[in-house]
Amino acid sequence: MNTAGHPEATARRGLELTPFRGLRYDPDRVGSLAAVTSPPYDVVVRPDGLHHLQSADPHNIVRLILPQADTPNVRNEQAADTLNRWLAEGVLAADPEPALYVYEQRDGNGMLQRGVIGALRVSEPSEGVVLPHEDVMPPVVADRAALMRATRANLEPLLLTYHGNGAAAEVVERTVKQAPLLATITEDGFHHSLWSVTDQADVTLIQSDLAHHQALIADGHHRWATYRQLRAEHPSPSPWDHGLVLLVDTARYPLRVRAIHRLLHTVPVTEALAAVEGMFRVRHLEVPLAGALEALADAACAGNAFLLAGDGAFHLIDRPDPDLLARTVPTDRPAAWRSLDATVLHATLLDHVWRIPEDSPAHIAYIHDTAATVAKAERDGGTAVLMHPVHEEVVRDLARQGVTMPRKSTSFGPKPASGLVLRALEI
């Protein structure tokens, strides 16, 4: 169903969060908790970031979320064997009783984010409870599903947001005054703390509050689609009816929204620029990265704009030909969707101008880190396409209309660190 005009408080069935026995690292069995954590699987910049994490500690979570082998089947079996071995050795152990978990992230610049981790009932978009805002790539969903089937575990939480400021938020604020289960500082300077909520009265307060709300998927569309696929494969009731999530109340803790950049492996900058000649205005910028991003932000205020890089310089392309957009951008979506940079990138530039298949890893990569995207383009001879972030209000409004954005359109953050708490389906 279309969710336009579907306020959170009137959702037919709201968020249903269930306690679970979290799997956590035994601090005495690893070098440090920080050394076994990782960013979410799709944020790891491969292969550099992967090798760095693998060398940080032999038990780093990346060995489960991004196992390395020649074939997918071998990779997934390897992850399952590794998880089972770590459980048998006591490297990972289940908490003694089911709990919801309060999770806090903060840095030295005043950023503070708190939320609740639990097992959320998996629902369909038609229910209007969990709202996706991006399309997904079926091969990625298939890959994540195969890994979850093999490990029978949710290895990292998705990031969901809701707007509440109610009883759940009060339980969170009260909980963080106690001593945490764990606290660590990762190498990016972020402080991570985790508390368990086992008191039944507090659990009920959280559950009752969330039952009146819907959530937006901030990060983890492919994993949510994987949860839905795996739930459909298993007769209900089963552990697959739920999936691991972090729910953040943005009334208390607004998230940051950043862009996800593209790296065109097979298109040098000279070819990319030659192809857009006469279709976009092209300006060559002799400035460092920070200055180029400022120019991009200024241009984005007036319309679609992108930065191309990879040849040691930056090239700002903007002011696309209106006739070109009319020919290439689908007209069956709202104006807000048609004017998105991501829409113009995929429908006009990738499909029509550069003819790059958006779901082919051999042709395109999606990278969150700006400097890393540029560096990899320069090293490999490809083209970095740098994006300007979209406003959260636009994302949420489109999601409530049931309109999904082009894949990898946004990067909400900060994202939860992987490795602090896992969910095994049979524990």
Side-chain angles (χ1 to χ4, degrees):
M1 93 181 161
N2 190 304
T3 55
H6 190 107
E8 292 188 10
T10 61
R12 184 169 63 242
R13 192 174 176 185
L15 299 165
E16 298 177 35
L17 198 65
T18 301
F20 68 103
R21 291 180 63 196
L23 290 185
R24 296 189 295 111
Y25 282 98
D26 181 343
D28 294 332
R29 300 294 186 101
V30 297
S32 72
L33 290 176
V36 295
T37 64
S38 163
Y41 82 97
D42 58 338
V43 181
V44 176
V45 180
R46 304 173 68 172
D48 299 349
L50 181 64
H51 294 158
H52 175 72
L53 292 166
Q54 287 176 329
S55 62
D57 189 284
H59 302 106
N60 190 284
I61 190 68
V62 78
R63 297 181 185 275
L64 300 182
I65 63 175
L66 282 174
Q68 298 300 294
D70 292 336
T71 67
N73 287 341
V74 173
R75 287 198 297 269
N76 297 328
E77 291 172 3
Q78 177 178 293
D81 290 344
T82 299
L83 175 59
N84 291 332
R85 184 175 72 254
W86 289 356
L87 288 169
E89 295 172 351
V91 174
L92 285 169
D95 283 335
E97 57 183 319
L100 299 177
Y101 295 86
V102 170
Y103 175 48
E104 176 186 281
Q105 294 165 276
R106 56 186 173 88
D107 64 12
N109 300 315
M111 191 288 301
L112 176 64
Q113 179 173 290
R114 292 171 178 156
V116 181
I117 295 176
L120 184 69
R121 181 183 71 88
V122 178
S123 59
E124 294 299 312
S126 60
E127 296 182 54
V129 176
V130 175
L131 305 178
H133 70 267
E134 289 184 357
D135 294 330
V136 298
M137 293 175 275
V140 178
V141 175
D143 175 74
R144 289 294 103 184
L147 178 63
M148 287 189 202
R149 287 191 203 97
T151 58
R152 301 191 65 78
N154 301 150
L155 301 172
E156 47 186 349
L158 286 64
L159 176 59
L160 307 184
T161 71
Y162 73 103
H163 202 76
N165 205 20
E170 295 302 325
V171 174
V172 167
E173 300 305 317
R174 187 166 66 249
T175 300
V176 298
K177 296 178 181 178
Q178 306 167 12
L181 285 176
L182 64 87
T184 190
I185 304 174
T186 47
E187 64 179 8
D188 57 6
F190 273 78
H191 296 244
H192 305 263
S193 301
L194 194 74
W195 295 260
S196 64
V197 178
T198 56
D199 179 81
Q200 188 54 53
D202 283 342
V203 170
T204 299
L205 282 173
I206 292 173
Q207 292 175 322
S208 299
D209 187 9
L210 293 177
H212 298 286
H213 296 289
Q214 61 183 180
L216 176 73
I217 302 177
D219 185 67
H221 283 82
H222 289 92
R223 283 167 286 167
W224 182 256
T226 299
Y227 288 170
R228 289 172 47 213
Q229 178 175 323
L230 293 172
R231 184 195 64 166
E233 293 174 2
H234 296 82
S236 185
S238 82
W240 301 100
D241 290 344
H242 295 78
L244 187 63
V245 305
L246 165 64
L247 278 162
V248 173
D249 183 351
T250 53
R252 295 276 181 114
Y253 303 104
L255 269 65
R256 300 176 310 198
V257 186
R258 293 178 173 172
I260 302 177
H261 309 297
R262 276 65 169 163
L263 174 63
L264 311 183
H265 296 301
T266 59
V267 181
V269 175
T270 53
E271 291 184 14
L273 290 172
V276 301
E277 191 68 37
M279 300 180 182
F280 285 72
R281 181 175 69 167
V282 179
R283 286 180 284 170
H284 307 285
L285 309 178
E286 297 296 333
V287 295
L289 176 58
L293 292 175
E294 289 180 5
L296 174 63
D298 290 341
C301 292
N304 302 118
F306 310 90
L307 270 181
L308 306 189
D311 61 351
F314 296 99
H315 313 274
L316 179 64
I317 65 171
D318 64 353
R319 298 186 183 179
D321 178 4
D323 290 338
L324 172 67
L325 299 184
R327 294 195 311 271
T328 58
V329 175
T331 58
D332 60 345
R333 307 286 181 91
W337 180 89
R338 296 197 302 271
S339 63
L340 291 170
D341 285 341
T343 298
V344 172
L345 172 65
H346 284 256
T348 303
L349 286 169
L350 292 180
D351 290 352
H352 180 80
V353 178
W354 294 326
R355 301 189 183 279
I356 297 293
E358 61 182 343
D359 57 355
S360 171
H363 292 86
I364 188 169
Y366 299 84
I367 304 178
H368 295 71
D369 185 89
T370 308
T373 309
V374 175
K376 190 161 181 57
E378 292 180 346
R379 185 167 60 247
D380 298 347
T383 296
V385 183
L386 305 183
M387 309 280 288
H388 185 68
V390 65
H391 292 294
E392 180 180 0
E393 295 79 9
V394 174
V395 176
R396 194 176 293 273
D397 182 61
L398 287 173
R400 283 179 172 157
Q401 296 179 60
V403 178
T404 54
M405 301 169 66
R407 59 198 61 172
K408 299 293 185 181
S409 294
T410 59
S411 175
F412 285 87
K415 305 177 191 304
S418 299
L420 296 180
V421 62
L422 293 67
R423 174 180 176 249
L425 272 69
E426 296 170 342
I427 292 180

